[in-house]
Amino acid sequence: MNADILRRRFLYQSLTGAGSMALSSMLEGATAAKPHHEAKAKSCIFLTMLGGVSQMDTFDPKPALDKFDNTVMDWSKEKLTDQVGLFAKPRLILKSPYTFKKHGQCGRDVSDLFPHVAECVDDLAFVRSVQGENGNHPAAIFFMNTGHVLPGRPSVGAWTTFGLGTENQNLPGFVVLPDFRSLPFSGSQQWGAGFLPASFQGMMMRWKGEPILDLRPPEAVTKTDADDQLTLLRALNARHAKDNLTNPDLQARIDAYELAYRMQATVPGVLDVDKEDPRLREMYGLNDPVTESFGKRCLMARQLVEKGVRFVQLYTPAQSWDSHTDLIGGHTKNARETDRPIAALLKDLKQRGLLDSTLVVWIGEFGRTPDNLAEQREKPGRDHNTKAMTMWFAGGGVKGGALVGTTDELGWKAVEQIYSMRDVHATILHLMGLNHVKLTYYHGGRNMRLTDTAGVVIKEVLS
Amino acid sequence: MKLLRYLTAATALLAGSARAAGNETIFREKIAPLLSKHCVSCHGAKGQSELSLTTFNEALHGGKRGPALVPGNSKSSLLVAYMRGDQSPRMPLGSTLDDAVWKEIASAVDSMKAEAVAARNPRLDWIFQKPATPAVPEVKRQDWVKNPIDAFVLAKLETKNMAPAARAGKRALLRRVYFNLIGLPPSPAEVEEFEADASADALEKVIDKLLGDERYGERWGRHWLDLVRFAESDGFAIDGERPTAWRYRDYVIRAFNKDKPYDEFIKEQLAGDEGMRGRRAAGEPSEGLLAVGFLRMGPWEADANFDNQLRLDFLNEAAGTTSQVFLGLTAGCARCHDHKYDPISQRDFYRLQAFFAATRIDDRPAAWVKAEDPVTMRRRMRQYEDELDEAGAKFKELEQTLRWKYAAANALKEGDKQIDEFQKALNDKKNATYTAEERSHYEALRDRTRQVTELLARHQPKAYAVAEVAPPDILEVAPTFVLGGGQLSAKGEQVEPGFLSAIAGKEEPAKLPFVGRYRSGRRTALADWIASPSNPLTARVMVNRIWQHHFGEGIVRTPSDFGLNGDRPSHPELLDWLAAQFVEKKWSLKAMHKLLLLSNTWQQATAHSEAARYSEADPDNRLLWRMNWLRLEGESIRDSILSVSGRLQPARGGPGVFFEISPDLAQGFSFFKWWPSEEKERLRRSVYHFQRRSVMNPMMEVFDGANMSESCARRGATTVPPQAFTLWNGELTHTEAKHFARRVIELAGPDPDRQVDRAFQLALSRAPEVAERTQARNLYAGRQPEDALARLGVVLFNLNEFVYLE
């Protein structure tokens, strides 16, 4: 069948039967009928650290940096593919300005940038050896989200929702919570459905004011007004659809209005942060302007997965971690904004027994270099590094306290148990009950996959 | 492996493009017998993994995993790699092969001469051959054939024993024509007039009228702006404004309205600044300069760390977009490696890119053209200059006062450096030095200064254009190199500008015309080659785009990819016939519109008595047994609402309009402020909205608006809940519904039935049915007529019938 008609039919089905009630029929005939194997996690919270976090200043201590501080790093043998210009000039190794300590029963190293997350290390599985393919932000962010360096492909959230559907027919299956101070490059394309049916795209929600733009009509419109309007809309649309059977989109559009109508009633109830215990709000950092943005969104994420939303993605502001200069200023600020909220999210989920069924992923688009430009020594930073990045998993199906991968002495390159971004994708899908090889969608002449032609599950992080 | 392949390709290409005749013989004599013994049972007719190995060409073309054989390089030949066990699973599957076999094949492969041009998939041959004018086919139902388009379509239907749909109703046709050509609904009077006109050429008269209407250019200009990734800002983190980019938008609208021949339109956009061409353009010397804005429309990383990379990005983007837009080929894919699917080598890409090597970006002085109303533009420019002087002086004065206040409060005297810290005190709301009033006064003046500065920049007689850097200004045009993996650090062979070898049939450098001193003539050479009737792709690609906008889908449904990964044409002969017509009619778009719209094919209804049966056989309606449904774009939905409410402002052209955005979105910008235009301005057509890459109009964003980062050849038509939120609850709908209610009362008088009738006529171009009228009348219960009609307006604007064209 042609992809486009399939897409349309699919869309129609997915909108009419987005609930558990019709989940099986909705996916009937499609490639992803139900989980391929028993799922360890029902939902995923994806914490996106935009700009690229420095591994040697957070979770991958490199004492050798102290020894070689201010000395020249030898790049001559490396084939550099990105930011060539930066490596053509004199460069000096930079020791980490942060102090590392061992934490938890597993004795995991965490720098003083993340004192709160450090309390949760026994629930985290770190991978220190993830490599990317492209060292430019826009391409790398697209790759992290969609497995492709250009826009236009479905994001990991869209794939997951496509594979599993949603558990709550009154809410979208995939919700995105960006920081409105600065949206990620290409905005909604980062969480688009690509060639998958549009209903699998992420829906952006706001953390201040109404969570969804125009969720409700203007204030002057009364409940009676709204109801009367809807009654007439239904009647006229039904009359029109009866005569026009060649257009399946008409029914899809009628259903979209019904879903929107239901969401109008459910969304505000779901996302009522004020009703939460003040101590919990404090724990998430809602009383502090520094942590308020990320904290509120972490709390919203918990509320959403609690209500059956399949995939929630949070973003730090665009480029926030991108400390080419002033590493101390940039990383300290970003860690302060996120550390407390992330720890609160993990503890809150655990306390409610939700951590077992929720996968939490912490990741950026790439890591950073051990050295930087000699000319920027006044306020030094670190440059992009696709050869090594540290990320972690937590929650459903994840072996807490695990440590995977090793980088070289200076932390610039993964040398053992090397994994790629595609492997991270494969692992996420695996934990959600999906086989990344089997989760396909026919498009442009081939069965497309999130992991394209690669990807292995990172077994070492599985419990 | 990748690197090896690239090196092979690069060295191989040096050897020239002619296929080494000996290779095929080597294959036939030494390799084929072994393959036929060990491999062909699976990789023959069965085509396991899409790979067949029965002929040399098939082996070159390869299968799912890429070319199986690379002449002269057994190490890069997958065929050998799989047999040797370097790739898993080892081949032949399930049996062990004597090492001697693959060694023999390897040595035969190595003895081959390296080849330049990748094997071309036979499926692609048609696009590289100039369209012949195909004979119009014979059909049984001659009476249905209004023009040859119908014959081509009907002939296909008849072979499948299918019949076309009936003609659409008059009202449906009229709405279709209006939205197709001007993007707005007809007025009730226009509907009445058309329905009363029983003459055979009633529709033709309407088409002629609309093609002469300036709103046509606004509608079709928008399609072109999608394609050329038009935006008025740079994108990336800063997303700085391009203050005169709007002049390119108006140039495009003018070009459509004037029915500028498409070949001329291409030439102006690629090389309008070169030589005499710019001045020739209808006596308006600036048109050519405005037109080349096309080359600069891509995103631009203004704060990029590396000038060389930025330059490379510009060249790649210009070359890639040119290829996509005019030739329907994704040559940009060959930036890092030979094209995986189409016969475009990496070397070809850089030869194409070399046409832009002498091009530099430049904001050039360009006198106002007549259509821009030079008198007004100059008057406004002077006005803003004066305002800026005034506001600037006031601002300075205030700053001075505030400075002194700070000095006095902190016992500082003139010359103390600390005085400069008064800014900090101003920004710090808790600082007691200043009152809230002083702060807001300061901010207001500062903002006003910034705003007038922006306004002034938008009214400068400048073109967002390019210029040439060529001898004798410099010794030679900067050389172009093939870049390994697309990386600046991996400079390979130097190349000269040359046309895509798959089309040109050769790899010789292009002949560059003399277009004047200080100009290389490179872009002129490229423009002339593209805009030539003998280019096999140019006309086909454009007629397919026109077709798509009228029919909802192209004859090739991937309008910017005619390559292997793209769609096959549903009616190849028709496409060729139309391409020939296009050239014959002197590249006139308006002539093509008329041809298409006057066909019976286009005038079919969307319904068909045999729809159920036909849908089984042809679910996508590729054979055109009925008309496709068309969903209005976000622009048309918004413009229609304003048109129906009677508030659409007809003003044309000029700097972009700043629509209103939600405050939290407005806060998200670090590098600019967003000041909405005055209401009267905001009520203009959507095409005049300021196109900031990071700020999409909410209506366009939810209704699949064109992403401004890259060429958009086809809008999506998705259905998602946020559309319902925007259209059902949004400010625009509710405000315009109120105006709509007042307008209806004004037109219909006090009788509720007449009011409802009028409301339907305005919004849907038809009167309500009895049942519909009764249902609508329910809204009057407990409401004043004006309120009831406002509710009705909200409903009408949200109906499927409002956003879908039958």
Side-chain angles (χ1 to χ4, degrees), chain B residues 633-644:
Chain B
E633 297 96 333
E635 284 88 344
S636 279
I637 294 174
R638 178 184 167 276
D639 294 356
S640 295
I641 291 175
L642 289 171
S643 158
V644 167

Side-chain angles (χ1 to χ4, degrees), chain A residues 2 5 81 86 180-181 189 198 206 214-215 217-218 225 228-229 237 239 244 246-247 249-250 253 257, chain B residues 306 487 606 619-620 629 664 668 707 718-719 721 725 728-729 734 769 772 783 791 794-795 798-800 804:
Chain A
N2 177 288
I5 204 85
T81 51
L86 278 181
F180 272 90
R181 284 174 294 178
Q189 288 192 29
R206 289 144 209 270
D214 296 322
L215 181 65
D225 286 342
D228 289 354
Q229 284 175 184
N237 270 342
R239 168 80 195 77
N244 295 295
T246 49
N247 187 354
D249 294 342
L250 300 180
R253 200 162 170 273
Y257 273 75
Chain B
F306 316 108
Q487 297 295 329
T606 50
D620 291 345
W629 284 86
D664 63 344
N707 152 15
T718 62
T719 301
F725 291 131
W728 188 239
N729 295 330
H734 288 268
E769 291 169 9
E772 290 174 327
R783 289 190 183 89
R791 301 299 122 229
V794 172
V795 173
N798 277 276
L799 285 180
N800 279 341
Y804 282 99

Side-chain angles (χ1 to χ4, degrees), chain B residues 31-175:
Chain B
I31 302 179
L34 294 168
L35 294 180
S36 117
K37 202 160 147 196
H38 301 285
C39 313
V40 166
S41 60
C42 295
H43 297 294
K46 235 166 142 186
Q48 205 72 260
S49 291
E50 292 158 34
L51 174 66
S52 174
L53 293 170
T54 54
T55 68
F56 181 48
N57 196 45
E58 283 174 353
L60 281 181
H61 175 59
K64 219 158 99 178
R65 311 199 192 284
L69 192 156
V70 180
N73 191 333
S74 65
K75 284 207 177 72
S76 298
S77 297
L78 279 179
L79 173 67
V80 181
Y82 274 98
M83 296 175 96
R84 201 168 44 202
D86 295 353
Q87 295 269 1
S88 156
R90 190 166 180 176
M91 292 285 161
L93 203 61
S95 63
T96 340
L97 197 64
D98 191 3
D99 278 358
V101 177
W102 67 256
K103 278 185 184 153
E104 201 177 328
I105 292 179
S107 87
V109 170
D110 286 329
S111 74
M112 287 179 171
K113 212 165 136 192
E115 285 200 16
V117 182
R120 181 199 287 172
N121 188 310
R123 253 174 70 197
L124 275 186
D125 283 347
W126 71 277
I127 67 167
F128 297 114
Q129 281 154 16
K130 202 191 144 199
T133 310
V136 178
E138 290 294 318
V139 290
K140 286 179 219 140
R141 267 187 67 183
Q142 270 300 334
D143 62 311
W144 194 75
V145 177
K146 208 180 267 173
N147 67 33
I149 292 173
D150 301 327
F152 285 104
V153 171
L154 187 58
K156 279 224 156 179
L157 286 173
E158 285 181 348
T159 60
K160 308 261 178 199
N161 285 320
M162 290 163 85
R167 191 164 191 255
K170 270 197 130 176
R171 165 191 163 261
L173 275 182
L174 192 69
R175 275 179 79 82

Side-chain angles (χ1 to χ4, degrees), chain B residues 402-534:
Chain B
L402 295 174
R403 225 166 151 258
W404 282 119
K405 194 168 178 197
Y406 183 79
N410 293 284
L412 301 166
K413 53 183 188 300
E414 184 61 64
D416 281 351
K417 259 200 162 175
Q418 272 166 283
I419 299 185
D420 292 332
E421 286 178 9
F422 82 102
Q423 291 273 12
K424 263 193 204 157
L426 257 179
N427 292 334
D428 177 10
K429 291 212 166 85
K430 286 179 208 136
N431 191 303
T433 315
Y434 300 113
T435 63
E437 255 173 327
E438 279 170 331
R439 283 203 176 89
S440 72
H441 189 199
Y442 175 80
E443 274 163 29
L445 263 182
R446 184 194 55 199
D447 283 359
R448 183 63 196 157
T449 316
R450 270 170 75 171
Q451 201 179 354
V452 180
T453 310
E454 285 179 5
L455 284 164
L456 182 59
R458 292 176 201 138
H459 289 79
Q460 299 291 317
K462 283 188 183 163
Y464 186 74
V466 298
E468 286 271 295
V469 203
D473 258 358
I474 49 170
L475 273 176
E476 54 167 15
V477 172
T480 301
F481 298 96
V482 176
L483 301 179
Q487 297 295 329
L488 271 172
S489 55
K491 270 187 193 162
E493 179 203 357
Q494 185 178 336
V495 290
E496 295 301 316
F499 308 124
L500 294 179
S501 56
I503 299 178
K506 55 186 182 199
E507 283 209 328
E508 284 160 26
K511 284 204 181 69
L512 304 176
F514 177 76
V515 292
R517 275 158 66 84
Y518 308 105
R519 291 181 169 90
S520 68
R522 291 188 181 207
R523 282 182 284 118
T524 300
L526 178 65
D528 289 346
W529 177 73
I530 291 178
S532 152
S534 56

